[in-house]
Amino acid sequence: MIYLDYSATTPVSYDVLESYLKATKDFIGNPNSLHSLGIKSRTLMNSAIKQISDLFNVLDSEITFTSGATESNNMALVGTCLANMKTGNHIIVSKLEHPSIYKICEYLTTIGFEVSYVENDQDGLIDFEDLRKKIRPETILVSICAVNSEVGIRQPLKMIRQIIRKENPQTLFHSDMTQAIGKISVNLHDVDMASMSAHKIFGPKGIGLFYKNSRVKIIPLIHGSGKSNELKPGTPPLPLIVAFSKALRMALMDLDKREAFVRRLSDKILSEISKLDGIICNQTKYSIPYILNFSLQKVRPETLIHALEEFDIYIGTNTACASGDISTSILALYNDRRRAQSTIRISISYITTSDEVNRFLTYFKTVYTKLNHLMDEK
Ligand code: PMP
């Protein structure tokens, strides 16, 4: 098997699974229980939280575990809007967000909030002047992802934060960091809130993280009992928390070394695939090397993906594409509907090998060229 869809999800690493199993077998108590089994579980949970807060240099109480980044994004956007209804009803997002952000925005407009979409330049960088102009006294939140999920465009969060602070010091700043964690270094002090997900960094599916600076007040979306976290009541999923902590510690190691290695692989893929007839490369100078995106002029992305699957090779498309919809990111970059309707995404990891890349390129060229010729004959 050659798996090149790491931005969709990653396999759970062996060490992470080990920590999940150990916490499941040896820590059966509910961390909310008063007895010794509960205390034992709670101690383990607190040390897992401490490991995470140390990694990001934040307070333990600033971390909330969620079911994934979708839930974290909901907490940030909906929670902030509900808490600040009296001060304003305006939020700003970029045109390069994950679909979950747009779905939340759609919902927020149905309950009286107004959403503005900040422009970006041709390479995907947020248009600072446009952001400045769009921030108003009633703007309560700006949400901009650290790394875009389709083309891997990286945004300068620190600079964006400075602009927001200057225009309206009351406006909060959230960043969806789901595709950034484990690929680039992030600083949670550049934002007020952030979203992450374990399954993108060789952790288990079903757990995410929501960071919120302690100064920020939001309304909880979930109400219930359990004293561990006011934003996420209920029994904490201890094995998932322990496994996530392990995955994060492993993901944040050697980022520069890993990136240099991944860049060599991605440069090779880029140069080989860009040469093929009917393929347009969608990378920009701000794309990180882990995520490669191409548009196909004749072959349908889903046809290519299923043809490669026959050889046990797995790459991605954007979820919208499969249903014939448009990739909002490609549209925001190139303003070309055709190009935005036919994208494929190849996402690499530091565990990808040169041999996998070479074999992938051999199969890809053969399969793609055959399909492209078939389209010519039609
Ligand atoms: N945000 C981004 C940038 C993502 O890439 C994803 C996953 N595709 C999500 C949010 C949603 O994450 P989850 O599957 O953990 O809910």
Side-chain angles (χ1 to χ4, degrees), residues 49 52-53 56 58 62-73 75 174-178 181 188 193-198 207-212 244-245 248:
I49 295 173
I52 298 176
S53 62
F56 292 114
V58 298
E62 294 177 322
I63 290 170
T64 297
F65 296 107
T66 61
S67 62
T70 302
E71 188 182 333
S72 306
N73 286 343
M75 272 189 188
H174 165 256
S175 180
D176 180 349
M177 296 188 175
T178 312
I181 301 298
L188 291 186
M193 291 170 279
S195 305
M196 307 177 194
S197 197
I207 182 156
L209 192 151
F210 174 59
Y211 159 75
K212 178 182 74 60
F244 192 7
S245 163
L248 270 171

PDB file of all heavy atoms in Angstrom, residues 49 52-53 56 58 62-73 75 174-178 181 188 193-198 207-212 244-245 248:
ATOM      1  N   ILE A  49      -2.568  16.285  30.715  1.00  0.00           N
ATOM      2  CA  ILE A  49      -2.893  17.687  30.399  1.00  0.00           C
ATOM      3  C   ILE A  49      -1.663  18.570  30.609  1.00  0.00           C
ATOM      4  O   ILE A  49      -1.339  19.431  29.789  1.00  0.00           O
ATOM      5  CB  ILE A  49      -4.077  18.194  31.272  1.00  0.00           C
ATOM      6  CG1 ILE A  49      -5.351  17.418  30.924  1.00  0.00           C
ATOM      7  CG2 ILE A  49      -4.290  19.702  31.101  1.00  0.00           C
ATOM      8  CD1 ILE A  49      -6.539  17.703  31.821  1.00  0.00           C
ATOM      9  N   ILE A  52       0.719  18.429  27.823  1.00  0.00           N
ATOM     10  CA  ILE A  52       0.265  19.229  26.663  1.00  0.00           C
ATOM     11  C   ILE A  52       0.451  20.719  26.939  1.00  0.00           C
ATOM     12  O   ILE A  52       0.964  21.457  26.096  1.00  0.00           O
ATOM     13  CB  ILE A  52      -1.217  18.908  26.331  1.00  0.00           C
ATOM     14  CG1 ILE A  52      -1.371  17.432  25.937  1.00  0.00           C
ATOM     15  CG2 ILE A  52      -1.724  19.825  25.218  1.00  0.00           C
ATOM     16  CD1 ILE A  52      -2.796  16.977  25.685  1.00  0.00           C
ATOM     17  N   SER A  53       0.065  21.160  28.138  1.00  0.00           N
ATOM     18  CA  SER A  53       0.180  22.602  28.417  1.00  0.00           C
ATOM     19  C   SER A  53       1.648  23.028  28.408  1.00  0.00           C
ATOM     20  O   SER A  53       1.977  24.127  27.971  1.00  0.00           O
ATOM     21  CB  SER A  53      -0.523  22.966  29.721  1.00  0.00           C
ATOM     22  OG  SER A  53       0.091  22.298  30.789  1.00  0.00           O
ATOM     23  N   PHE A  56       2.879  23.618  24.819  1.00  0.00           N
ATOM     24  CA  PHE A  56       2.424  24.869  24.202  1.00  0.00           C
ATOM     25  C   PHE A  56       2.633  26.091  25.098  1.00  0.00           C
ATOM     26  O   PHE A  56       2.238  27.195  24.725  1.00  0.00           O
ATOM     27  CB  PHE A  56       0.934  24.752  23.829  1.00  0.00           C
ATOM     28  CG  PHE A  56       0.671  23.771  22.715  1.00  0.00           C
ATOM     29  CD1 PHE A  56      -0.047  22.605  22.944  1.00  0.00           C
ATOM     30  CD2 PHE A  56       1.158  24.027  21.436  1.00  0.00           C
ATOM     31  CE1 PHE A  56      -0.295  21.706  21.908  1.00  0.00           C
ATOM     32  CE2 PHE A  56       0.924  23.136  20.396  1.00  0.00           C
ATOM     33  CZ  PHE A  56       0.199  21.964  20.633  1.00  0.00           C
ATOM     34  N   VAL A  58       1.116  26.979  27.874  1.00  0.00           N
ATOM     35  CA  VAL A  58      -0.157  27.585  28.276  1.00  0.00           C
ATOM     36  C   VAL A  58      -0.594  26.980  29.614  1.00  0.00           C
ATOM     37  O   VAL A  58       0.075  26.072  30.139  1.00  0.00           O
ATOM     38  CB  VAL A  58      -1.263  27.363  27.199  1.00  0.00           C
ATOM     39  CG1 VAL A  58      -0.867  28.017  25.884  1.00  0.00           C
ATOM     40  CG2 VAL A  58      -1.570  25.870  26.986  1.00  0.00           C
ATOM     41  N   GLU A  62      -6.523  26.090  30.312  1.00  0.00           N
ATOM     42  CA  GLU A  62      -6.832  26.674  28.997  1.00  0.00           C
ATOM     43  C   GLU A  62      -7.063  25.585  27.943  1.00  0.00           C
ATOM     44  O   GLU A  62      -7.315  25.888  26.782  1.00  0.00           O
ATOM     45  CB  GLU A  62      -5.690  27.613  28.570  1.00  0.00           C
ATOM     46  CG  GLU A  62      -5.604  28.828  29.495  1.00  0.00           C
ATOM     47  CD  GLU A  62      -4.453  29.770  29.169  1.00  0.00           C
ATOM     48  OE1 GLU A  62      -3.367  29.297  28.807  1.00  0.00           O
ATOM     49  OE2 GLU A  62      -4.634  30.993  29.307  1.00  0.00           O
ATOM     50  N   ILE A  63      -6.974  24.315  28.372  1.00  0.00           N
ATOM     51  CA  ILE A  63      -7.123  23.208  27.420  1.00  0.00           C
ATOM     52  C   ILE A  63      -8.440  22.482  27.650  1.00  0.00           C
ATOM     53  O   ILE A  63      -8.773  22.119  28.779  1.00  0.00           O
ATOM     54  CB  ILE A  63      -5.947  22.219  27.588  1.00  0.00           C
ATOM     55  CG1 ILE A  63      -4.670  22.880  27.073  1.00  0.00           C
ATOM     56  CG2 ILE A  63      -6.195  20.895  26.872  1.00  0.00           C
ATOM     57  CD1 ILE A  63      -3.431  22.114  27.385  1.00  0.00           C
ATOM     58  N   THR A  64      -9.194  22.287  26.574  1.00  0.00           N
ATOM     59  CA  THR A  64     -10.435  21.504  26.641  1.00  0.00           C
ATOM     60  C   THR A  64     -10.343  20.410  25.587  1.00  0.00           C
ATOM     61  O   THR A  64      -9.957  20.678  24.449  1.00  0.00           O
ATOM     62  CB  THR A  64     -11.654  22.405  26.325  1.00  0.00           C
ATOM     63  OG1 THR A  64     -11.736  23.416  27.324  1.00  0.00           O
ATOM     64  CG2 THR A  64     -12.957  21.611  26.312  1.00  0.00           C
ATOM     65  N   PHE A  65     -10.696  19.197  25.968  1.00  0.00           N
ATOM     66  CA  PHE A  65     -10.717  18.124  24.975  1.00  0.00           C
ATOM     67  C   PHE A  65     -12.090  18.058  24.333  1.00  0.00           C
ATOM     68  O   PHE A  65     -13.113  18.149  25.012  1.00  0.00           O
ATOM     69  CB  PHE A  65     -10.337  16.784  25.621  1.00  0.00           C
ATOM     70  CG  PHE A  65      -8.930  16.795  26.126  1.00  0.00           C
ATOM     71  CD1 PHE A  65      -8.656  16.863  27.479  1.00  0.00           C
ATOM     72  CD2 PHE A  65      -7.873  16.793  25.231  1.00  0.00           C
ATOM     73  CE1 PHE A  65      -7.355  16.917  27.942  1.00  0.00           C
ATOM     74  CE2 PHE A  65      -6.554  16.852  25.674  1.00  0.00           C
ATOM     75  CZ  PHE A  65      -6.305  16.912  27.035  1.00  0.00           C
ATOM     76  N   THR A  66     -12.080  17.898  23.029  1.00  0.00           N
ATOM     77  CA  THR A  66     -13.332  17.829  22.272  1.00  0.00           C
ATOM     78  C   THR A  66     -13.330  16.514  21.493  1.00  0.00           C
ATOM     79  O   THR A  66     -12.410  15.717  21.640  1.00  0.00           O
ATOM     80  CB  THR A  66     -13.398  19.001  21.275  1.00  0.00           C
ATOM     81  OG1 THR A  66     -12.287  18.884  20.370  1.00  0.00           O
ATOM     82  CG2 THR A  66     -13.329  20.358  21.973  1.00  0.00           C
ATOM     83  N   SER A  67     -14.308  16.345  20.615  1.00  0.00           N
ATOM     84  CA  SER A  67     -14.326  15.108  19.817  1.00  0.00           C
ATOM     85  C   SER A  67     -13.466  15.253  18.558  1.00  0.00           C
ATOM     86  O   SER A  67     -13.229  14.297  17.843  1.00  0.00           O
ATOM     87  CB  SER A  67     -15.765  14.776  19.413  1.00  0.00           C
ATOM     88  OG  SER A  67     -16.277  15.823  18.617  1.00  0.00           O
ATOM     89  N   GLY A  68     -13.017  16.462  18.267  1.00  0.00           N
ATOM     90  CA  GLY A  68     -12.207  16.693  17.071  1.00  0.00           C
ATOM     91  C   GLY A  68     -12.234  18.167  16.729  1.00  0.00           C
ATOM     92  O   GLY A  68     -12.876  18.974  17.415  1.00  0.00           O
ATOM     93  N   ALA A  69     -11.572  18.517  15.636  1.00  0.00           N
ATOM     94  CA  ALA A  69     -11.469  19.939  15.295  1.00  0.00           C
ATOM     95  C   ALA A  69     -12.815  20.548  14.922  1.00  0.00           C
ATOM     96  O   ALA A  69     -13.034  21.743  15.138  1.00  0.00           O
ATOM     97  CB  ALA A  69     -10.467  20.128  14.164  1.00  0.00           C
ATOM     98  N   THR A  70     -13.719  19.746  14.370  1.00  0.00           N
ATOM     99  CA  THR A  70     -15.042  20.287  14.021  1.00  0.00           C
ATOM    100  C   THR A  70     -15.716  20.826  15.280  1.00  0.00           C
ATOM    101  O   THR A  70     -16.262  21.934  15.289  1.00  0.00           O
ATOM    102  CB  THR A  70     -15.911  19.199  13.361  1.00  0.00           C
ATOM    103  OG1 THR A  70     -15.227  18.728  12.201  1.00  0.00           O
ATOM    104  CG2 THR A  70     -17.280  19.720  12.976  1.00  0.00           C
ATOM    105  N   GLU A  71     -15.663  20.039  16.353  1.00  0.00           N
ATOM    106  CA  GLU A  71     -16.278  20.488  17.603  1.00  0.00           C
ATOM    107  C   GLU A  71     -15.529  21.690  18.179  1.00  0.00           C
ATOM    108  O   GLU A  71     -16.159  22.650  18.668  1.00  0.00           O
ATOM    109  CB  GLU A  71     -16.312  19.340  18.623  1.00  0.00           C
ATOM    110  CG  GLU A  71     -17.107  19.693  19.865  1.00  0.00           C
ATOM    111  CD  GLU A  71     -17.119  18.589  20.908  1.00  0.00           C
ATOM    112  OE1 GLU A  71     -16.976  17.394  20.551  1.00  0.00           O
ATOM    113  OE2 GLU A  71     -17.261  18.927  22.090  1.00  0.00           O
ATOM    114  N   SER A  72     -14.210  21.674  18.088  1.00  0.00           N
ATOM    115  CA  SER A  72     -13.423  22.820  18.595  1.00  0.00           C
ATOM    116  C   SER A  72     -13.789  24.089  17.832  1.00  0.00           C
ATOM    117  O   SER A  72     -13.940  25.162  18.429  1.00  0.00           O
ATOM    118  CB  SER A  72     -11.923  22.555  18.437  1.00  0.00           C
ATOM    119  OG  SER A  72     -11.572  21.339  19.034  1.00  0.00           O
ATOM    120  N   ASN A  73     -13.914  23.973  16.507  1.00  0.00           N
ATOM    121  CA  ASN A  73     -14.301  25.149  15.704  1.00  0.00           C
ATOM    122  C   ASN A  73     -15.675  25.659  16.118  1.00  0.00           C
ATOM    123  O   ASN A  73     -15.910  26.871  16.180  1.00  0.00           O
ATOM    124  CB  ASN A  73     -14.307  24.794  14.212  1.00  0.00           C
ATOM    125  CG  ASN A  73     -12.894  24.657  13.642  1.00  0.00           C
ATOM    126  OD1 ASN A  73     -11.932  25.116  14.247  1.00  0.00           O
ATOM    127  ND2 ASN A  73     -12.778  24.020  12.487  1.00  0.00           N
ATOM    128  N   MET A  75     -17.053  25.328  19.112  1.00  0.00           N
ATOM    129  CA  MET A  75     -16.910  25.980  20.423  1.00  0.00           C
ATOM    130  C   MET A  75     -16.419  27.397  20.245  1.00  0.00           C
ATOM    131  O   MET A  75     -16.923  28.336  20.867  1.00  0.00           O
ATOM    132  CB  MET A  75     -15.884  25.216  21.276  1.00  0.00           C
ATOM    133  CG  MET A  75     -16.486  24.116  22.070  1.00  0.00           C
ATOM    134  SD  MET A  75     -15.258  23.468  23.212  1.00  0.00           S
ATOM    135  CE  MET A  75     -16.192  22.058  23.808  1.00  0.00           C
ATOM    136  N   HIS A 174      -9.321  33.607  16.559  1.00  0.00           N
ATOM    137  CA  HIS A 174      -9.275  32.135  16.608  1.00  0.00           C
ATOM    138  C   HIS A 174      -8.542  31.619  15.385  1.00  0.00           C
ATOM    139  O   HIS A 174      -8.665  32.186  14.293  1.00  0.00           O
ATOM    140  CB  HIS A 174     -10.710  31.566  16.616  1.00  0.00           C
ATOM    141  CG  HIS A 174     -10.757  30.087  16.299  1.00  0.00           C
ATOM    142  ND1 HIS A 174     -11.158  29.601  15.061  1.00  0.00           N
ATOM    143  CD2 HIS A 174     -10.420  28.999  17.039  1.00  0.00           C
ATOM    144  CE1 HIS A 174     -11.086  28.280  15.073  1.00  0.00           C
ATOM    145  NE2 HIS A 174     -10.641  27.885  16.256  1.00  0.00           N
ATOM    146  N   SER A 175      -7.779  30.539  15.573  1.00  0.00           N
ATOM    147  CA  SER A 175      -7.151  29.908  14.412  1.00  0.00           C
ATOM    148  C   SER A 175      -7.385  28.405  14.438  1.00  0.00           C
ATOM    149  O   SER A 175      -7.155  27.742  15.455  1.00  0.00           O
ATOM    150  CB  SER A 175      -5.648  30.192  14.395  1.00  0.00           C
ATOM    151  OG  SER A 175      -5.084  29.579  13.266  1.00  0.00           O
ATOM    152  N   ASP A 176      -7.843  27.877  13.304  1.00  0.00           N
ATOM    153  CA  ASP A 176      -7.962  26.436  13.130  1.00  0.00           C
ATOM    154  C   ASP A 176      -6.547  25.939  12.793  1.00  0.00           C
ATOM    155  O   ASP A 176      -6.032  26.194  11.706  1.00  0.00           O
ATOM    156  CB  ASP A 176      -8.950  26.162  11.982  1.00  0.00           C
ATOM    157  CG  ASP A 176      -9.136  24.676  11.731  1.00  0.00           C
ATOM    158  OD1 ASP A 176      -8.373  23.871  12.284  1.00  0.00           O
ATOM    159  OD2 ASP A 176     -10.066  24.327  10.967  1.00  0.00           O
ATOM    160  N   MET A 177      -5.926  25.244  13.750  1.00  0.00           N
ATOM    161  CA  MET A 177      -4.530  24.810  13.579  1.00  0.00           C
ATOM    162  C   MET A 177      -4.428  23.330  13.218  1.00  0.00           C
ATOM    163  O   MET A 177      -3.360  22.723  13.325  1.00  0.00           O
ATOM    164  CB  MET A 177      -3.742  25.089  14.864  1.00  0.00           C
ATOM    165  CG  MET A 177      -3.627  26.553  15.189  1.00  0.00           C
ATOM    166  SD  MET A 177      -2.503  26.808  16.577  1.00  0.00           S
ATOM    167  CE  MET A 177      -2.434  28.596  16.629  1.00  0.00           C
ATOM    168  N   THR A 178      -5.556  22.760  12.821  1.00  0.00           N
ATOM    169  CA  THR A 178      -5.607  21.315  12.577  1.00  0.00           C
ATOM    170  C   THR A 178      -4.532  20.827  11.610  1.00  0.00           C
ATOM    171  O   THR A 178      -3.927  19.780  11.827  1.00  0.00           O
ATOM    172  CB  THR A 178      -7.002  20.943  12.027  1.00  0.00           C
ATOM    173  OG1 THR A 178      -7.972  21.557  12.859  1.00  0.00           O
ATOM    174  CG2 THR A 178      -7.216  19.455  11.999  1.00  0.00           C
ATOM    175  N   ILE A 181      -0.470  21.624  13.136  1.00  0.00           N
ATOM    176  CA  ILE A 181       0.180  20.896  14.225  1.00  0.00           C
ATOM    177  C   ILE A 181       0.961  19.700  13.671  1.00  0.00           C
ATOM    178  O   ILE A 181       0.452  18.914  12.880  1.00  0.00           O
ATOM    179  CB  ILE A 181      -0.886  20.413  15.252  1.00  0.00           C
ATOM    180  CG1 ILE A 181      -1.662  21.595  15.830  1.00  0.00           C
ATOM    181  CG2 ILE A 181      -0.255  19.578  16.370  1.00  0.00           C
ATOM    182  CD1 ILE A 181      -0.844  22.598  16.606  1.00  0.00           C
ATOM    183  N   LEU A 188       0.699  29.401  20.563  1.00  0.00           N
ATOM    184  CA  LEU A 188      -0.681  29.652  20.984  1.00  0.00           C
ATOM    185  C   LEU A 188      -0.856  31.060  21.546  1.00  0.00           C
ATOM    186  O   LEU A 188      -1.972  31.553  21.649  1.00  0.00           O
ATOM    187  CB  LEU A 188      -1.141  28.603  21.996  1.00  0.00           C
ATOM    188  CG  LEU A 188      -1.324  27.178  21.447  1.00  0.00           C
ATOM    189  CD1 LEU A 188      -1.932  26.255  22.494  1.00  0.00           C
ATOM    190  CD2 LEU A 188      -2.180  27.164  20.189  1.00  0.00           C
ATOM    191  N   MET A 193      -7.823  31.721  20.689  1.00  0.00           N
ATOM    192  CA  MET A 193      -8.402  30.373  20.689  1.00  0.00           C
ATOM    193  C   MET A 193      -7.819  29.582  19.516  1.00  0.00           C
ATOM    194  O   MET A 193      -7.475  30.173  18.481  1.00  0.00           O
ATOM    195  CB  MET A 193      -9.925  30.440  20.516  1.00  0.00           C
ATOM    196  CG  MET A 193     -10.652  31.015  21.710  1.00  0.00           C
ATOM    197  SD  MET A 193     -12.386  31.314  21.317  1.00  0.00           S
ATOM    198  CE  MET A 193     -12.290  32.852  20.467  1.00  0.00           C
ATOM    199  N   ALA A 194      -7.749  28.254  19.686  1.00  0.00           N
ATOM    200  CA  ALA A 194      -7.220  27.437  18.592  1.00  0.00           C
ATOM    201  C   ALA A 194      -7.886  26.066  18.603  1.00  0.00           C
ATOM    202  O   ALA A 194      -8.364  25.593  19.642  1.00  0.00           O
ATOM    203  CB  ALA A 194      -5.712  27.269  18.735  1.00  0.00           C
ATOM    204  N   SER A 195      -7.942  25.446  17.418  1.00  0.00           N
ATOM    205  CA  SER A 195      -8.521  24.105  17.271  1.00  0.00           C
ATOM    206  C   SER A 195      -7.468  23.130  16.753  1.00  0.00           C
ATOM    207  O   SER A 195      -6.653  23.497  15.903  1.00  0.00           O
ATOM    208  CB  SER A 195      -9.660  24.132  16.243  1.00  0.00           C
ATOM    209  OG  SER A 195     -10.626  25.087  16.587  1.00  0.00           O
ATOM    210  N   MET A 196      -7.531  21.899  17.258  1.00  0.00           N
ATOM    211  CA  MET A 196      -6.610  20.832  16.800  1.00  0.00           C
ATOM    212  C   MET A 196      -7.343  19.500  16.808  1.00  0.00           C
ATOM    213  O   MET A 196      -8.390  19.374  17.437  1.00  0.00           O
ATOM    214  CB  MET A 196      -5.424  20.679  17.766  1.00  0.00           C
ATOM    215  CG  MET A 196      -4.696  21.943  18.046  1.00  0.00           C
ATOM    216  SD  MET A 196      -3.391  21.653  19.266  1.00  0.00           S
ATOM    217  CE  MET A 196      -3.026  23.353  19.691  1.00  0.00           C
ATOM    218  N   SER A 197      -6.750  18.510  16.161  1.00  0.00           N
ATOM    219  CA  SER A 197      -7.366  17.190  16.108  1.00  0.00           C
ATOM    220  C   SER A 197      -6.290  16.102  16.164  1.00  0.00           C
ATOM    221  O   SER A 197      -5.276  16.207  15.465  1.00  0.00           O
ATOM    222  CB  SER A 197      -8.146  17.067  14.793  1.00  0.00           C
ATOM    223  OG  SER A 197      -9.037  16.013  14.853  1.00  0.00           O
ATOM    224  N   ALA A 198      -6.526  15.070  16.980  1.00  0.00           N
ATOM    225  CA  ALA A 198      -5.475  14.043  17.171  1.00  0.00           C
ATOM    226  C   ALA A 198      -5.255  13.169  15.947  1.00  0.00           C
ATOM    227  O   ALA A 198      -4.138  12.723  15.688  1.00  0.00           O
ATOM    228  CB  ALA A 198      -5.849  13.167  18.373  1.00  0.00           C
ATOM    229  N   ILE A 207     -10.867  12.470  19.189  1.00  0.00           N
ATOM    230  CA  ILE A 207     -10.450  13.459  20.193  1.00  0.00           C
ATOM    231  C   ILE A 207      -9.762  14.655  19.523  1.00  0.00           C
ATOM    232  O   ILE A 207      -8.959  14.498  18.599  1.00  0.00           O
ATOM    233  CB  ILE A 207      -9.566  12.860  21.322  1.00  0.00           C
ATOM    234  CG1 ILE A 207      -9.225  13.965  22.348  1.00  0.00           C
ATOM    235  CG2 ILE A 207      -8.302  12.196  20.772  1.00  0.00           C
ATOM    236  CD1 ILE A 207      -8.897  13.457  23.717  1.00  0.00           C
ATOM    237  N   GLY A 208     -10.137  15.825  19.994  1.00  0.00           N
ATOM    238  CA  GLY A 208      -9.533  17.056  19.505  1.00  0.00           C
ATOM    239  C   GLY A 208      -9.221  17.947  20.686  1.00  0.00           C
ATOM    240  O   GLY A 208      -9.461  17.574  21.845  1.00  0.00           O
ATOM    241  N   LEU A 209      -8.696  19.121  20.381  1.00  0.00           N
ATOM    242  CA  LEU A 209      -8.342  20.039  21.452  1.00  0.00           C
ATOM    243  C   LEU A 209      -8.856  21.436  21.116  1.00  0.00           C
ATOM    244  O   LEU A 209      -8.822  21.850  19.951  1.00  0.00           O
ATOM    245  CB  LEU A 209      -6.816  20.036  21.591  1.00  0.00           C
ATOM    246  CG  LEU A 209      -6.203  20.696  22.821  1.00  0.00           C
ATOM    247  CD1 LEU A 209      -4.887  20.011  23.164  1.00  0.00           C
ATOM    248  CD2 LEU A 209      -5.972  22.173  22.636  1.00  0.00           C
ATOM    249  N   PHE A 210      -9.355  22.078  22.128  1.00  0.00           N
ATOM    250  CA  PHE A 210      -9.753  23.480  21.988  1.00  0.00           C
ATOM    251  C   PHE A 210      -8.941  24.264  22.994  1.00  0.00           C
ATOM    252  O   PHE A 210      -8.999  23.992  24.193  1.00  0.00           O
ATOM    253  CB  PHE A 210     -11.257  23.620  22.258  1.00  0.00           C
ATOM    254  CG  PHE A 210     -11.726  25.052  22.276  1.00  0.00           C
ATOM    255  CD1 PHE A 210     -11.558  25.865  21.163  1.00  0.00           C
ATOM    256  CD2 PHE A 210     -12.344  25.583  23.396  1.00  0.00           C
ATOM    257  CE1 PHE A 210     -11.976  27.195  21.175  1.00  0.00           C
ATOM    258  CE2 PHE A 210     -12.769  26.912  23.422  1.00  0.00           C
ATOM    259  CZ  PHE A 210     -12.580  27.712  22.304  1.00  0.00           C
ATOM    260  N   TYR A 211      -8.152  25.219  22.491  1.00  0.00           N
ATOM    261  CA  TYR A 211      -7.393  26.090  23.385  1.00  0.00           C
ATOM    262  C   TYR A 211      -8.132  27.414  23.503  1.00  0.00           C
ATOM    263  O   TYR A 211      -8.579  27.967  22.492  1.00  0.00           O
ATOM    264  CB  TYR A 211      -5.977  26.329  22.831  1.00  0.00           C
ATOM    265  CG  TYR A 211      -5.345  27.579  23.402  1.00  0.00           C
ATOM    266  CD1 TYR A 211      -4.852  27.587  24.704  1.00  0.00           C
ATOM    267  CD2 TYR A 211      -5.284  28.756  22.663  1.00  0.00           C
ATOM    268  CE1 TYR A 211      -4.315  28.749  25.249  1.00  0.00           C
ATOM    269  CE2 TYR A 211      -4.749  29.920  23.205  1.00  0.00           C
ATOM    270  CZ  TYR A 211      -4.263  29.900  24.499  1.00  0.00           C
ATOM    271  OH  TYR A 211      -3.752  31.054  25.039  1.00  0.00           O
ATOM    272  N   LYS A 212      -8.269  27.893  24.709  1.00  0.00           N
ATOM    273  CA  LYS A 212      -8.877  29.205  24.930  1.00  0.00           C
ATOM    274  C   LYS A 212      -8.096  29.917  26.023  1.00  0.00           C
ATOM    275  O   LYS A 212      -7.941  29.368  27.122  1.00  0.00           O
ATOM    276  CB  LYS A 212     -10.345  29.052  25.354  1.00  0.00           C
ATOM    277  CG  LYS A 212     -11.020  30.373  25.644  1.00  0.00           C
ATOM    278  CD  LYS A 212     -12.448  30.203  26.095  1.00  0.00           C
ATOM    279  CE  LYS A 212     -12.585  29.683  27.510  1.00  0.00           C
ATOM    280  NZ  LYS A 212     -11.982  30.543  28.552  1.00  0.00           N
ATOM    281  N   PHE A 244      -3.626  11.138  23.006  1.00  0.00           N
ATOM    282  CA  PHE A 244      -3.459  12.417  22.311  1.00  0.00           C
ATOM    283  C   PHE A 244      -2.199  13.126  22.822  1.00  0.00           C
ATOM    284  O   PHE A 244      -1.404  13.683  22.048  1.00  0.00           O
ATOM    285  CB  PHE A 244      -4.714  13.282  22.556  1.00  0.00           C
ATOM    286  CG  PHE A 244      -4.837  14.502  21.685  1.00  0.00           C
ATOM    287  CD1 PHE A 244      -3.975  14.766  20.635  1.00  0.00           C
ATOM    288  CD2 PHE A 244      -5.862  15.416  21.918  1.00  0.00           C
ATOM    289  CE1 PHE A 244      -4.109  15.899  19.836  1.00  0.00           C
ATOM    290  CE2 PHE A 244      -6.013  16.557  21.130  1.00  0.00           C
ATOM    291  CZ  PHE A 244      -5.122  16.798  20.091  1.00  0.00           C
ATOM    292  N   SER A 245      -2.013  13.079  24.137  1.00  0.00           N
ATOM    293  CA  SER A 245      -0.839  13.726  24.719  1.00  0.00           C
ATOM    294  C   SER A 245       0.432  13.090  24.149  1.00  0.00           C
ATOM    295  O   SER A 245       1.380  13.786  23.766  1.00  0.00           O
ATOM    296  CB  SER A 245      -0.902  13.574  26.246  1.00  0.00           C
ATOM    297  OG  SER A 245       0.340  13.832  26.813  1.00  0.00           O
ATOM    298  N   LEU A 248       0.891  14.162  20.523  1.00  0.00           N
ATOM    299  CA  LEU A 248       1.369  15.546  20.408  1.00  0.00           C
ATOM    300  C   LEU A 248       2.859  15.646  20.701  1.00  0.00           C
ATOM    301  O   LEU A 248       3.601  16.317  19.974  1.00  0.00           O
ATOM    302  CB  LEU A 248       0.603  16.444  21.395  1.00  0.00           C
ATOM    303  CG  LEU A 248      -0.679  17.078  20.875  1.00  0.00           C
ATOM    304  CD1 LEU A 248      -1.438  17.756  22.008  1.00  0.00           C
ATOM    305  CD2 LEU A 248      -0.395  18.099  19.773  1.00  0.00           C
TER     306      LEU A 248
END
